Amino acid sequence: MKKSSKQFLIISFIISYICFGIIVYSRIAFTQIFNSPLYLSLFVLGCLGPLISSFIVHILNRKELGGMRGFIDKFRIVKAPKTFVLIPVFLIAHYGFAILLKNVYRYGSIIDFFRYLPMAIILGSQEIGWRGIIQPGNEQKNGFWKSSIITGLFWSLWFLPLIYIPQFIILPQFYAQFAAYLVGISILLTTLYKSSGSIVYCIILSSFVFALFPVIILRQSFMLVLIALLDSIVANIFKDKTFN
């Protein structure tokens, strides 16, 4: 693993785990976090951990990543007409599989999508690290599929302390299934990134996926693994057609 990848993981996990750890230790329910300025600030800072880490790693690795300019360039929007098609296709396929497999627990209000979208965008901003640092670093040695899985597993480890916050959307006993589910999303995001060369599109897709969590509430079951496998199949269908 590259030095920059190690730095990103260490800094991200330190920031996020400390913030989330304080919330877990305080035993405050997830739904109550948004009513407390202190815990909300800790939660937001924890979610921003990977973004902050990405900035620091770019500064520490100017030759490899381009420093601050390289960090800003990651948010450059590249004209990629195919990508505008892939975002809705991946999003519809992802949740469409859940609906077809009857793995939807219940449907929330569409208003919740807009309510949670700002927080989802904060989560989506992490893509500059996962897709911009970790994925390329692993892919040089391990190839597309293995590196996408590794990135997804690291991503799932980042989520680990969150499941111990009372009333969090993911229950601890279904963490393994959720980890597989994130690997499937990781593969979709990697396909999107490699087809466009822009992190912005990955942020959009990731934000929409997370913002729809309270609207299309999935059952926590082994079906999450099947959805991940189907996501991988969809990614494979479009991978060879869109990669430059």
Side-chain angles (χ1 to χ4, degrees):
M1 183 181 291
K2 282 188 172 183
K3 177 183 176 182
S4 56
S5 296
K6 292 179 181 178
Q7 290 172 338
F8 169 77
L9 291 173
I10 291 171
I11 298 172
S12 297
F13 278 57
I14 288 175
I15 295 173
S16 300
Y17 271 41
I18 289 176
C19 293
F20 297 151
I22 293 173
I23 296 174
V24 172
Y25 180 78
S26 301
R27 304 292 299 172
I28 185 171
F30 182 70
T31 53
Q32 296 176 333
I33 289 175
F34 301 94
N35 299 323
S36 169
L38 173 61
Y39 290 113
L40 179 59
S41 298
L42 283 170
F43 183 74
V44 171
L45 180 59
C47 290
L48 287 172
L51 179 63
I52 296 171
S53 176
S54 298
F55 177 77
I56 295 173
V57 170
H58 273 79
I59 298 300
L60 293 176
N61 298 271
R62 289 183 175 85
K63 290 184 179 180
E64 178 190 351
L65 300 175
M68 183 178 293
R69 184 177 182 82
F71 177 81
I72 295 173
D73 284 346
K74 283 291 197 308
F75 293 96
R76 178 171 52 91
I77 298 177
V78 178
K79 292 183 179 179
K82 294 178 181 178
T83 305
F84 289 108
V85 177
L86 287 181
I87 292 176
V89 167
F90 286 173
L91 192 64
I92 293 171
H94 177 75
Y95 279 104
F97 290 142
I99 294 171
L100 291 174
L101 293 170
K102 298 182 179 180
N103 197 54
V104 178
Y105 175 66
R106 66 180 176 85
Y107 294 97
S109 171
I110 190 63
I111 296 176
D112 288 334
F113 171 84
F114 298 100
R115 182 182 300 166
Y116 286 96
L117 184 59
M119 186 60 67
I121 292 174
I122 291 175
L123 284 172
S125 69
Q126 300 178 3
E127 287 302 303
I128 190 173
W130 301 122
R131 236 54 55 184
I133 298 176
I134 297 297
Q135 172 67 30
N138 285 326
E139 189 168 348
Q140 291 180 3
K141 180 180 179 181
N142 300 305
F144 172 85
W145 290 104
K146 190 174 180 180
S147 60
S148 296
I149 293 172
I150 292 172
T151 301
L153 291 175
F154 277 129
W155 194 20
S156 69
L157 283 175
W158 178 86
F159 271 93
L160 185 58
L162 287 171
I163 69 174
Y164 293 103
I165 297 176
Q167 298 180 16
F168 186 65
I169 192 170
I170 303 299
L171 298 174
Q173 59 265 38
F174 291 103
Y175 173 73
Q177 291 89 334
F178 178 65
Y181 176 78
L182 287 179
V183 168
I185 297 175
S186 174
I187 293 172
L188 289 178
L189 289 167
T190 301
T191 302
L192 187 64
Y193 179 54
K194 289 181 67 64
S195 68
S196 66
S198 175
I199 289 291
V200 175
Y201 299 113
C202 295
I203 292 175
I204 293 172
L205 178 58
S206 179
S207 299
F208 281 7
V209 168
F210 286 120
L212 283 170
F213 267 23
V215 180
I216 306 176
I217 303 172
L218 305 182
R219 296 182 188 277
Q220 297 181 47
S221 66
F222 184 77
M223 283 296 181
L224 293 178
V225 179
L226 182 55
I227 292 172
L229 290 174
L230 292 172
D231 282 345
S232 302
I233 292 173
V234 171
N236 188 57
I237 291 172
F238 287 94
K239 179 173 70 71
D240 296 330
K241 295 180 181 180
T242 57
F243 284 9
N244 294 326

